[in-house]
Structures are given as structure tokens and as C-alpha cells.
Amino acid sequence: MNTLADGPMAVDGGLRWNHRFAALGPAFFTRLAPQPVPAPYWVGRSRAVAAELGLPDDWMSSNAALEVFSGNLPLSGSAPLASVYSGHQFGHWAGQLGDGRALLLGEMITPTGAGRELQLKGSGLTPYSRMGDGRAVLRSSIREFLCSEAMHGLGIPTSRALCVTGSDHEVYREAIETAAVVTRVAPSFIRFGHFEHFSHRGQHEHLKTLADFVIDGFYPECRVTTLHDGNPYAALLEAVSARTAATVAQWQAVGFCHGVMNTDNMSILGLTIDYGPFQFLDAFDPGHICNHSDHQGRYAYNRQPNIAYWNLFCLGQALLPLIGEPEVAMAALEPFKTIFPAALEARMRAKLGLLDARPQDRELIEGILKLLAQDRVDYTIFWRRLSGHVAGDATEAVRDLFLDREAIDAWMLHYSERTMTISRWDSANLMLKTNPKYVLRNHLGEEAIQAAKHKDFSGVGRLLVLLERPFDEHPDSEALAGFPPDWASTISISCSS
Ligand code: AMP
Ligand code: MG
């Protein structure tokens, strides 16, 4: 096995670490090392994330880096641990969960001085693995890697992904698959479930330690005494609600379904985390369920905003011992009900190229969503074609998407009346930066995954390039912006990954 110094560039001395989460104390985690995998290979790497972390290109190409990000070698200065959390899954209290297949390596200090936690996901058993094997399979790891970077490219708050490594080590799911490890990156991986864990156990000292840590590290404004009568924990609940509302508004606007919005998958920073059976909508179907294990449709596309609120309510309940009165917690949650619709409306206005807000905009937005749903129009293609229509005059390309031509003509008339006084140039500019040409559709991910199973990782790399810049044209990849093939609707993705 290699040592770090064998790499073209020894990273040892160059990395600075902070271990702030570990400083919370042993009640919050268990220290342990990753379990090695045989003969790892690279599946995908993000140069952008490496650069942000200050990891040199030549080191990222080294065998030492490959061994590090497979869990076979320690990254110098890291101190791996698995954290403990609990959560509500599919509406029910699930008790203790925890990092069952992820390890926090620590918090790296980037060249700009920002703190970034690094996690290996799929690195083997932890004390929180329960019935699981601590592993992640190649397909789900590719999906998490690509989607993390796709969401970032779309401007949506998310954990990032540095790389994916694979191994022929066998993993048993419905069939025999192979193992992979994703290295993911975020300012913090703390979840609503971390708070629920200590609250449910009546460990209010730990609950306070955690809340103070999150406030001081990420929400210092909550200490301002004019907020919530100087109750920083109520202020925290409100601030988390606001960030969550803003993120979910972006999901809805771009047509992203998370698939498993359990409270243990909700980031305290309002980031999109824990990519599982997610999906970007193909045809617009408000009730679309992307997770095949979600038989009730609890996490259907159009239920995501309500579920976000439900999850925030759970967070509020967990914070009650610190907040005090339930009325205070409820008051802190209240702004979600106005922030979310306002954020969504602002996003939808941008999609329509509207530069200011007018009262009739809501009708225009609801009108087009109704038509998109009625004719099951491809969501991404519609918005991109509408942008093209505003940029040039491709009205037919928009009309062609609809069966009910009369209805779309009537809507287009309203739309042109509304936009008459706006500069087409400004509108088109906004729309082309708001309505992506490329999203990680299921079938695109699937094609890259099938090739990767045969050790051809070119599809992963090609998608990464597109998804990092989803608003650009990429003329060579036009076909990847097209309609999904018929077989796309037969792809079945569940929690088991
Ligand atoms: P998820 O549905 O991926 O958010 O996972 C829910 C919980 O199950 C978390 O505590 C995970 O760490 C754990 N988990 C999921 N898959 C595995 C696995 N293969 N091995 C161990 N734990 C797992
Ligand atoms: Mg999870």
C-alpha cells in the first residue's frame, strides 16, 4: 500500500484541520477508522471541489489520494468519527439512526479560511449501521456525486462531492453489486435528527451544547437580543425555517424531488443532503413520486413544501426544552408560511423572465403549471423553450409541447401582454440563467451508471462537465438536453442503495 508521501505531491503538511464537531465531546460520536476495500479505482472527481479545498490537481491524480478516498489510508490530520442522530422516517419516530455508513474525517480549513467538513460515505460498518453493511453501491454513489455538483451548478444549496471511488468488493442488495465511496463536503453535516436525538433522550445539556455550536458557527445573528425577546433558540428555529424554505422553493422551481425527506435527511443549514432516490421531473406531474419505496406518496413532488414544514415542526419540538413555551416555537415557525410562497413566486417569476412583481403574476404562474400538468409537458424543456421564445421568437417550439393548443395560445397571449413593457433582452437573459438546459435526468444517470459498471467512466465525466454549467448550451451534447426515452419511466429507484 502507498503512503501519502508516495504521491506526486505530498499533501501532508499542506492541510489545515479544525475538529470543531469532535470538540463537542464523546456523547456526539464514536471514533473509528474506515474499513479498507480491495483494489480501488477512480470513478469520478470534481476539480472544482478539489480546488475549493485546496487539494492540488496532481495530488488528486495520485494513487495516495485514491487510497485515501477509498478509506484505505488515513488523510493526514483527519480524525474519523461516526456521529449519532435519530429521526422521524416516513412520519414515524424511528429512534436512533446515526452515520451508519458515513465517517466524518474532520473539518478542513480551505485556502480562503472557510471550514469544510469531509465525509466518506460507504466506508464500512459503524456502531450505527444497525442491520446495514456500512456500504454504498456504485450506482447510488454516482448519482450522489453527480447530483451534488448538478445542484451546485443550479445555484441550489447542497453538500458537494469531491470524488467517487469504486472497488470490486461485492455488496448485496436485491442483486450483487459493487461498493463505492463518495467523499462529500459541507460546512456541516448536522441534521434535524441530531437535535431530535438528544431531546428525545432528555439529554438537555447535550441539546444545548449542539444548539450553541450551530448558532455560534453558522447562525451568529441569532444572538442578537432584539430577536424573539433574546431567545437565541427560537431565533435559530426561525433562521433554519427560512433557509429550508428558500432551498425547497428552489427544488420546486427546478422540478427536483428529493424522495426521502425524513428528518434525519434534513440539514440544519438548509442544504440539500443525502441524495437517494431523487429525481428531476421529466413530464410535469405535481403528484410525482420518485421513490419506489414511498407507497403513500408522502414525499411526492407537490408535498415537499408541507413536509419541510412538518420536519421543521419536529425540529421545533426537539428544541422546546431550550425555547421554553410552545407558543414561542410556533411563532418562530410561522414565517415559513409566508417566506416559502414568496420565495417560490420569486423563482417562478424569474423563470418567466418577469423583472418585477405584479398582482396578476400568480394567475400567470398557476395558469402555466395547470397546462403543464394537464398535458404532462416535459418540465425542463418547456422552460428552456419558453426562454428561447423570449430570446428569439420560437413560439411554435413552445406550442408544439402542448396538446391543448387553444389553452396554450390563450396563456401565451396573457404572457405577452404581461411582458410587453419589459425588455426582451433583459427577460431572456434572466430566463436563460434561471431555466437550465441540462438536468440530471434519471435516464442520463442510468446510462452513465451502466457504462461505469463496465469500467467506462467517461459518461460520468461528461455529465459532470454539463451539470457544472447547466445553463450553457454545450452544442456537442445537444442530445442530452432532449426528451427522455420511453424506458426512462421504467427506471425504479428506491431507498436501498
Ligand atoms: P438513508 O435512507 O440513506 O438516509 O439512511 C437512513 C439511515 O440508515 C441512516 O442512519 C444511514 O446511515 C443508515 N443506512 C442506510 N444504508 C445503510 C447501509 N448500507 N449500512 C449501514 N447503514 C445504512
Ligand atoms: Mg440519510
Side-chain angles (χ1 to χ4, degrees):
M1 208 177 273
N2 292 282
T3 66
L4 275 180
D6 289 343
M9 157 55 213
V11 116
D12 293 52
L15 299 181
R16 285 190 299 145
W17 293 88
N18 211 348
H19 291 289
R20 288 190 298 168
F21 184 83
L24 295 180
F28 293 83
F29 57 82
T30 304
R31 285 196 188 282
L32 77 164
Q35 290 178 318
V37 286
Y41 43 83
W42 290 113
V43 175
R45 271 166 289 183
S46 158
R47 294 175 77 131
V49 178
E52 208 174 295
L53 293 172
L55 298 173
D57 267 352
D58 55 356
W59 185 74
M60 277 305 291
S61 309
S62 70
N63 210 43
L66 174 60
E67 298 288 347
V68 161
F69 297 120
S70 307
N72 291 353
L73 260 184
L75 183 55
S76 112
S78 68
L81 61 85
S83 78
V84 64
Y85 54 79
S86 295
H88 282 85
Q89 297 188 315
F90 292 91
H92 303 285
W93 176 245
Q96 181 184 304
L97 303 164
D99 293 324
R101 51 173 169 170
L103 287 180
L104 174 66
L105 298 183
E107 183 186 7
M108 205 180 257
I109 307 299
T110 71
T112 65
R116 288 289 178 271
E117 289 189 347
L118 262 69
Q119 271 199 353
L120 299 183
K121 179 172 175 181
S123 53
L125 291 170
T126 79
Y128 316 111
S129 298
R130 298 176 295 145
M131 307 297 284
D133 56 6
R135 293 294 178 192
V137 296
L138 180 65
R139 65 183 151 89
S140 69
S141 305
I142 290 175
R143 279 168 55 85
E144 173 144 15
F145 172 68
L146 289 176
C147 201
S148 305
E149 293 311 287
M151 294 295 262
H152 179 74
L154 291 164
I156 301 175
T158 177
S159 58
R160 303 289 302 276
L162 172 66
C163 58
V164 188
T165 64
S167 161
D168 290 343
H169 176 74
E170 287 183 348
V171 176
Y172 301 91
R173 296 293 182 261
E174 279 92 7
I176 298 178
E177 302 192 41
T178 60
V181 177
V182 188
T183 301
R184 52 184 188 177
V185 179
S188 168
F189 283 97
I190 294 177
R191 301 140 191 275
F192 291 10
H194 281 100
F195 289 87
E196 290 179 284
H197 182 75
F198 296 105
S199 191
H200 193 83
R201 297 189 162 196
Q203 296 175 330
H204 297 168
E205 273 305 300
H206 295 326
L207 182 66
K208 184 171 181 304
T209 301
L210 187 65
D212 287 336
F213 173 73
V214 169
I215 291 172
D216 294 336
F218 306 101
Y219 293 94
E221 69 278 10
C222 292
R223 296 275 182 216
V224 173
T225 51
T226 49
L227 288 173
H228 290 279
D229 292 330
N231 185 331
Y233 309 108
L236 175 65
L237 180 58
E238 181 171 336
V240 174
S241 303
R243 282 207 205 175
T244 305
T247 298
V248 176
Q250 287 190 267
W251 291 359
Q252 301 306 109
V254 81
F256 175 80
C257 309
H258 181 282
V260 204
M261 289 177 72
N262 293 333
T263 56
D264 52 298
N265 291 339
M266 296 293 290
S267 154
I268 201 72
L269 303 183
L271 307 172
T272 314
I273 55 167
D274 278 20
Y275 292 92
F278 69 83
Q279 188 182 358
F280 286 85
L281 293 178
D282 290 319
F284 186 63
D285 172 8
H288 184 72
I289 304 162
C290 64
N291 178 354
H292 282 248
S293 322
D294 182 7
H295 305 296
Q296 311 292 320
R298 178 178 172 85
Y299 300 135
Y301 166 75
N302 59 1
R303 297 199 65 192
Q304 296 187 128
N306 281 342
I307 292 293
Y309 183 82
W310 193 92
N311 289 339
L312 287 161
F313 186 90
C314 289
L315 178 65
Q317 227 160 12
L319 288 170
L320 259 191
L322 306 179
I323 290 178
E325 297 305 312
E327 294 74 32
V328 180
M330 289 311 291
L333 290 171
E334 200 55 27
F336 180 90
K337 297 176 187 166
T338 46
I339 293 175
F340 172 76
L344 180 57
E345 214 174 292
R347 292 272 156 201
M348 297 311 288
R349 248 191 252 108
K351 290 178 86 65
L352 287 164
L354 306 179
L355 305 173
D356 60 352
R358 304 253 178 95
Q360 72 266 36
D361 293 347
R362 185 167 296 178
E363 200 186 318
L364 203 60
I365 295 163
E366 282 169 4
I368 195 59
L369 291 179
K370 194 169 150 232
L371 290 186
L372 291 172
Q374 177 191 299
D375 287 351
R376 293 286 190 269
V377 176
D378 189 276
Y379 191 70
T380 304
I381 291 179
F382 165 75
W383 289 107
R384 193 68 183 185
R385 285 198 188 176
L386 189 70
S387 316
H389 158 69
V390 172
D393 202 7
T395 318
E396 283 310 312
V398 178
R399 285 186 90 229
D400 281 351
L401 295 169
F402 293 82
L403 295 169
D404 190 345
R405 295 287 161 93
E406 229 172 277
I408 186 62
D409 287 346
W411 183 85
M412 290 293 272
L413 192 65
H414 283 297
Y415 181 50
S416 57
E417 281 164 11
R418 169 67 176 92
T419 48
M420 213 146 50
T421 54
I422 309 175
S423 136
R424 274 182 99 100
W425 166 262
D426 290 343
S427 268
N429 238 347
L430 175 61
M431 292 171 85
L432 290 166
K433 280 189 293 195
T434 307
N435 298 314
K437 178 154 178 164
Y438 298 94
V439 293
L440 180 57
R441 295 180 190 260
N442 264 354
H443 77 277
L444 297 178
E446 193 60 27
E447 284 167 347
I449 288 164
Q450 290 313 327
K453 284 184 177 170
H454 296 101
K455 303 268 176 14
D456 171 3
F457 307 115
S458 59
V460 174
R462 185 172 175 209
L463 280 180
L464 179 65
V465 168
L466 290 183
L467 298 170
E468 282 178 334
R469 307 187 67 86
F471 303 106
D472 291 359
E473 282 296 322
H474 305 282
D476 295 344
S477 300
E478 198 67 30
L480 304 185
F483 291 99
D486 287 342
W487 61 266
S489 58
T490 65
I491 299 170
S492 160
I493 296 172
S494 69
C495 287
S496 155
S497 60

